[in-house]
Amino acid sequence: MKILVTGGAGFIASHTNVELLNAGYEVVVLDNLLNSSPESVRRVEKLTGKKITFYQEDLLHEEAVCKIFEAEGFDGVIHFAGRKAVGESCQIPLAYFDNNITGTLNLLKAMERYDVKKLVFSSSATVYGQPETVPIREDFPLSVSNPYGRTKLMIEDMLRDIYQSDHSWDIALLRYFNPIGAHESGEIGEDPNGIPNNLLPYVAKVAAGQLECIQVFGNDYDTPDGTGVRDYIHVVDLALGHIKALEKLNTHPGLVTYNLGTGVGYSVLDVIHNFEKACGKKLPYRITGRRPGDIATCYADPAKAKKELGWEARWGIEKMCQDAWRWQSNHPNGYRS
Ligand code: UFG
């Protein structure tokens, strides 16, 4: 089966490409390289010993996208492409709507035109907004509080509408919790532009001596140690969830929605202390004010994915930190190293 992976040079996509190739899929990557490196594609080829067809292209270029569909003849699409920084989305919402919404519309139009109706979509736990209780189940109410989250929810809504109108589509909405870690080889990993927004890459850069001190955004939440609790999931576990979702779509289930998380919550301090163990040194941190828009606690109920996909996360926080540290220390400057 030939799969188009949009945003295929990015963090989660590169790990998914490894698992796709290892499972015998043919992979075609489309990426505009706005926030990613073609080096990740080369590394995935090296790790797997298999070739990837790579197009540096933007989903905003509708005609170019159609030409790729025409030339390749895909069997399915995994759609990762999109801008993904919550804070930035509040500053430049139009860029988010353009890139994420218009880009997805162009993709969907090409899929319809070339009769490719199998889609795995990168959604996010952000669509649950401020959940009333945890663990979060897929049938919880949906709401969002920033433009990034709105694009994820809008795309989910669009896909639900498309499926309602035409049941020949097979669509999996995968709601990711907090993906961290890296491939065990230390050859591919997360490579954010500039100063990282997310906790784990920030901690890794402090451990590497590239940033001075971790800021802990608030210790007055209603959580065991007062710091925010999240469901961190190893990126390789997450990648394997995509393979399971594709297998599910091959049995024509219609539209399905799954949480991809571990079901376990760790606090900011838990993460810091586990990373200290992984890198073998004390990490400086200081408590600062809460980050606007953050919630206290977010973790998944992953039971549905286990029951229906036969998927569950295998790796815990220790392995996530060890693998993230191996990537960071092997490649202090990411793919530019
Ligand atoms: N945090 C810090 N210091 C930092 C960065 C983060 O204390 O420098 C804290 C946050 O307050 C939060 C936790 O670490 O409690 C995790 O924060 P991240 O920024 O790593 O992740 P978020 O949970 O805020 O957001 C992630 C993704 C979003 C996605 C969301 C879904 O980045 O894209 O999960 O729940 F929408």
Side-chain angles (χ1 to χ4, degrees):
M1 274 184 80
K2 192 191 269 192
I3 305 297
L4 170 66
V5 182
T6 74
F11 171 47
I12 303 171
S14 52
H15 291 80
T16 303
N17 292 340
V18 171
E19 302 307 328
L20 283 169
L21 291 166
N22 284 342
Y25 291 92
E26 227 181 301
V27 173
V28 176
V29 163
L30 180 156
D31 199 303
N32 64 7
L33 301 181
L34 183 77
N35 193 18
S36 56
S37 164
E39 176 63 15
S40 70
V41 176
R42 210 188 56 75
R43 300 256 176 110
V44 171
E45 290 184 324
K46 202 165 156 218
L47 277 173
T48 58
K50 299 196 175 150
K51 291 297 287 177
I52 289 177
T53 305
F54 174 63
Y55 290 94
Q56 181 173 354
E57 195 41 85
D58 197 310
L59 288 177
L60 292 177
H61 302 151
E62 196 178 347
E63 263 182 44
V65 172
C66 283
K67 280 201 184 121
I68 296 172
F69 270 79
E70 173 121 43
E72 294 288 345
F74 299 118
D75 298 296
V77 176
I78 306 184
H79 180 32
F80 290 102
R83 290 177 176 259
K84 60 172 188 180
V86 173
E88 184 187 62
S89 78
C90 299
Q91 280 145 15
I92 48 168
L94 259 182
Y96 274 69
F97 295 136
D98 197 24
N99 205 290
N100 295 11
I101 303 294
T102 312
T104 301
L105 273 176
N106 289 344
L107 173 69
L108 293 172
K109 283 192 277 181
M111 289 178 73
E112 168 130 85
R113 180 159 159 199
Y114 292 94
D115 199 29
V116 182
K117 292 185 171 172
K118 213 186 287 289
L119 174 68
V120 176
F121 173 60
S122 265
S123 189
S124 164
T126 196
V127 300
Y128 295 114
Q130 177 118 33
E132 267 171 34
T133 56
V134 281
I136 300 170
R137 280 198 323 267
E138 288 84 349
D139 58 1
F140 275 25
L142 305 178
S143 73
V144 289
S145 55
N146 59 69
Y148 159 75
R150 201 169 321 283
T151 65
K152 290 292 176 192
L153 187 50
M154 281 164 82
I155 295 168
E156 281 204 4
D157 284 335
M158 274 160 39
L159 294 172
R160 281 185 279 268
D161 286 344
I162 288 168
Y163 178 69
Q164 272 312 314
S165 75
D166 177 357
H167 279 33
S168 68
W169 284 79
D170 290 301
I171 299 171
L173 308 178
L174 302 183
R175 295 180 181 151
Y176 310 154
F177 282 69
N178 288 54
I180 62 168
H183 193 263
E184 203 168 28
S185 63
E187 288 304 305
I188 55 172
E190 190 167 10
D191 185 17
N193 273 340
I195 297 179
N197 297 305
N198 295 112
L199 178 63
L200 219 288
Y202 201 104
V203 169
K205 292 213 174 287
V206 171
Q210 297 175 14
L211 292 170
E212 252 169 43
C213 181
I214 304 159
Q215 298 181 59
V216 176
F217 297 147
N219 67 348
D220 56 353
Y221 286 105
D222 183 16
T223 61
D225 64 20
T227 66
V229 168
R230 296 290 182 275
D231 186 337
Y232 297 94
I233 174 170
H234 196 295
V235 64
V236 173
D237 277 330
L238 191 66
L240 288 165
H242 293 71
I243 312 300
K244 292 287 190 185
L246 263 184
E247 286 169 6
K248 181 81 181 170
L249 295 188
N250 288 335
T251 63
H252 302 296
L255 185 139
V256 288
T257 306
Y258 298 108
N259 285 339
L260 296 184
T262 65
V264 181
Y266 287 100
S267 72
V268 176
L269 296 182
D270 290 333
V271 170
I272 294 173
H273 295 320
N274 274 285
F275 209 94
E276 286 176 333
K277 270 190 237 154
C279 69
K281 54 185 137 186
K282 278 286 203 205
L283 298 176
Y285 68 85
R286 67 166 179 274
I287 310 291
T288 65
R290 291 183 178 194
R291 183 170 65 178
D294 274 352
I295 58 176
T297 304
C298 173
Y299 57 91
D301 179 343
K304 190 176 174 213
K306 182 174 181 190
K307 182 161 171 253
E308 296 184 13
L309 295 181
W311 171 90
E312 73 185 312
R314 279 178 306 171
W315 306 117
I317 190 78
E318 287 179 13
K319 164 104 172 136
M320 297 179 214
C321 291
Q322 285 161 7
D323 289 344
W325 177 238
R326 188 175 305 110
W327 157 249
Q328 173 66 52
S329 41
N330 285 358
H331 303 283
N333 297 307
Y335 290 113
R336 289 169 305 281
S337 298

